[in-house]
Amino acid sequence: MSPSATAKVDATPPPPSPGGLDGFFKISERGSSVAREIRGGFATFFAMAYIIVLNPIILGSAKDMYGHQLDGGQLVTATVLTAAFSTLLMGVIGNVPIALAAGLGVNTVVALQLAPRMSWPDAMGMVVLAGIVVMLLVATGLRERVMNAVPGSLRKGIAIGIGLFILLIGLVDSGFVSRMPDAAHTTVPLQLGSDGHLNGWPVLVFVLGALLTLILIVRKVPGAILISIVAMTVVALIIDAAADLPGEAWGLTVPTWPGNPVATPDFGLLGHFSLFGGFHKVGVLTGILFVFTVLLSCFFDAMGTILGVGDEAKLTDAKGNFPGINRVLFVDGVAVAAGGATSSSASTCFVESTAGVGEGARTGLASIVSGLLFTVALFLTPLATMVPSQAATPALLAVGFLIIAGSVRDIDWSDFTLAIPAFLAMVMMPFTYSITNGIGIGFIAFSVLRLATGRGREVPVAMYAVSAVFVFYYMMPALGLT
């Protein structure tokens, strides 16, 4: 090649960097497309839309120490508004396909542990304080240090645990399996269907939806999860109209076309919180323990979800770390505080975000789509809650499989000090119905086993510290601190 030819080649300008949505969200860089992100945003929204109904039920059924109950209509508005704000913020700042809403488990703590000991504003003030502590932990780098201290095999175990957990959520919410009544006097906790058999039209909708979803995924049809959700919602509407089923047959969400799809939001609960009022009611020590309980649940539920979604979306680097994780963690802290400020309880990252990842979502654009759908739901709540769980939960079945299949081979099963904690983390999440419990037991097992085999120096200090916190947390009832 002549020198002139060489010069000509060297002078060729590099291809222009993508601009617009593609450049801002790094869509092409992450191997996605705008269409995939939009489909993913829709899939995530429909998979978690049940929270619009469920959170007001949990909080609205409880009373504070004065006998006051929160208004149901105001709770719906607060729940949807906080989900919309937090999810949009995650899309813009975090740039990850993770949606946020009122966390299940945390709202139960607020309703059953905090509120009966104080007023509702006092209880929500403690949630705000927990969010502020989360943000401080992010600002000091402590939260990222904890996440980076988790060994790779344990991270994979956490991801698999989340896969099993969302699979169980899907099976229970759909009615495919149900809890055995205590009156049965059996040690078997779950059964097929409601009575040991698969009965009723709603369960058929789930079964058909699961088959349709899996067939579409196997055939690599774009939009498989969203297609299934829409198709089975239509089927459910037809069945409900034709069979005239009682509302309780479907569970929380009845697939009936609403007479008036428009609902006027009621913002009456916004700003009704007292930061330190609860401490005057229960004392400083008990108040700190209440904040600690909320903090622990939010901290590790979000951690598990972020690691699981990040791993499934291929957002982690070669070492398993999550670039830009601090932005994601900070938004999660803001969401916790925002939930308290709106009286909708702490908001956190939703594991149902994996439904969007299953559609190919890899960026914050999917979260923007989900956030906008929550915004629309402020005014069209009857429409947003029209999709029955039996039509949405097949997505969780499919995504649970995809997470497990993509992670189980990466665990170092030859090193028992890694394999056993990973195993405990993955099974304790579904068996205790808690992401936090799975992480806590896995952390403790890892620290203890490494110490017992003379490898204690290989355990990061952050892992020891968190394990000690979990030990204290589990011992709180025995110590009379709950």
Side-chain angles (χ1 to χ4, degrees):
M1 183 178 290
S2 66
S4 60
T6 303
K8 184 176 181 180
V9 172
D10 293 341
T12 302
S17 299
L21 285 176
D22 197 338
F24 183 83
F25 290 106
K26 302 179 181 178
I27 297 174
S28 297
E29 181 181 326
R30 296 184 182 178
S32 185
S33 67
V34 173
R36 287 181 182 178
E37 298 299 315
I38 292 174
R39 290 199 306 264
F42 270 85
T44 293
F45 172 77
F46 285 124
M48 60 185 288
Y50 67 85
I51 197 64
I52 300 174
V53 177
L54 185 55
N55 192 54
I57 289 175
I58 292 173
L59 293 177
S61 61
K63 296 180 180 180
D64 66 9
M65 67 179 298
Y66 301 109
H68 298 152
Q69 289 180 283
L70 298 176
D71 179 79
Q74 293 177 343
L75 278 172
V76 170
T77 297
T79 300
V80 177
L81 178 66
T82 310
F85 167 74
S86 304
T87 303
L88 287 169
L89 200 65
M90 183 64 81
V92 174
I93 296 178
N95 193 24
V96 290
I98 296 177
L100 303 92
L104 293 175
V106 182
N107 53 11
T108 305
V109 170
V110 173
L112 301 182
Q113 288 185 238
L114 272 64
R117 305 280 296 275
M118 59 192 73
S119 70
W120 280 111
D122 295 336
M124 294 303 171
M126 290 193 164
V127 175
V128 175
L129 285 174
I132 292 172
V133 174
V134 171
M135 286 184 273
L136 289 174
L137 291 173
V138 174
T140 58
L142 290 176
R143 195 173 185 187
E144 185 176 12
R145 285 183 61 189
V146 170
M147 294 186 73
N148 290 338
V150 184
S153 289
L154 186 50
R155 290 187 181 208
K156 294 298 181 180
I158 291 171
I160 294 171
I162 287 175
L164 293 170
F165 184 52
I166 65 173
L167 169 62
L168 181 58
I169 289 174
L171 294 175
V172 171
D173 288 355
S174 67
F176 190 85
V177 300
S178 64
R179 188 176 73 87
M180 292 282 283
D182 294 335
H185 300 295
T186 175
T187 57
V188 181
L190 296 174
Q191 63 183 353
L192 187 67
S194 59
D195 59 358
H197 302 88
L198 294 179
N199 299 316
W201 290 106
V203 174
L204 178 63
V205 170
F206 169 77
V207 172
L208 293 177
L211 291 173
L212 176 60
T213 304
L214 295 174
I215 290 170
L216 293 175
I217 287 176
V218 170
R219 295 182 63 86
K220 296 181 171 55
V221 175
I225 290 175
L226 187 57
I227 290 172
S228 174
I229 292 174
V230 173
M232 298 321 298
T233 298
V234 173
V235 171
L237 284 167
I238 295 172
I239 288 175
D240 188 73
D244 193 26
L245 299 176
E248 59 269 18
W250 295 98
L252 285 175
T253 306
V254 180
T256 303
W257 188 264
N260 182 11
V262 179
T264 304
D266 186 341
F267 300 98
L269 288 176
L270 268 66
H272 282 213
F273 67 93
S274 171
L275 275 182
F276 301 105
F279 291 92
H280 296 296
K281 303 289 195 313
V282 299
V284 175
L285 177 59
T286 302
I288 291 174
L289 291 174
F290 277 160
V291 174
F292 173 75
T293 301
V294 174
L295 170 68
L296 199 67
S297 182
C298 294
F299 188 108
F300 289 101
D301 264 24
M303 174 182 158
T305 300
I306 292 167
L307 289 176
V309 173
D311 189 68
E312 179 65 15
K314 305 296 187 292
L315 299 179
T316 53
D317 59 23
K319 296 181 179 179
N321 295 325
F322 200 138
I325 188 66
N326 259 342
R327 296 193 300 273
V328 177
L329 298 175
F330 183 78
V331 173
D332 177 67
V334 172
V336 174
T342 60
S343 294
S344 63
S345 179
S347 282
T348 189
C349 301
F350 254 56
V351 72
E352 283 83 357
S353 302
T354 50
V357 174
E359 276 292 352
R362 298 291 182 269
T363 77
L365 180 57
S367 296
I368 297 293
V369 173
S370 298
L372 290 175
L373 289 172
F374 273 114
T375 304
V376 172
L378 271 173
F379 306 93
L380 299 175
T381 301
L383 283 180
T385 57
M386 189 179 68
V387 179
S389 59
Q390 291 81 3
T393 48
L396 304 184
L397 174 69
V399 172
F401 162 75
L402 293 173
I403 291 175
I404 295 167
S407 299
V408 69
R409 69 175 69 93
D410 295 324
I411 294 176
D412 184 0
W413 296 103
S414 64
D415 184 346
F416 282 10
T417 65
L418 286 172
I420 291 175
F423 169 75
L424 290 174
M426 69 176 73
V427 298
M428 288 302 169
M429 285 186 195
F431 289 168
T432 66
Y433 221 66
S434 167
I435 293 174
T436 297
N437 283 337
I439 292 175
I441 293 170
F443 279 19
I444 294 171
F446 175 70
S447 299
V448 170
L449 291 176
R450 281 289 168 95
L451 279 171
T453 53
R455 301 170 62 184
R457 293 184 178 180
E458 300 175 18
V459 180
V461 174
M463 183 65 75
Y464 280 130
V466 174
S467 297
V469 168
F470 271 113
V471 169
F472 173 73
Y473 175 69
Y474 290 133
M475 291 182 63
M476 281 171 59
L479 297 173
L481 297 175
T482 59

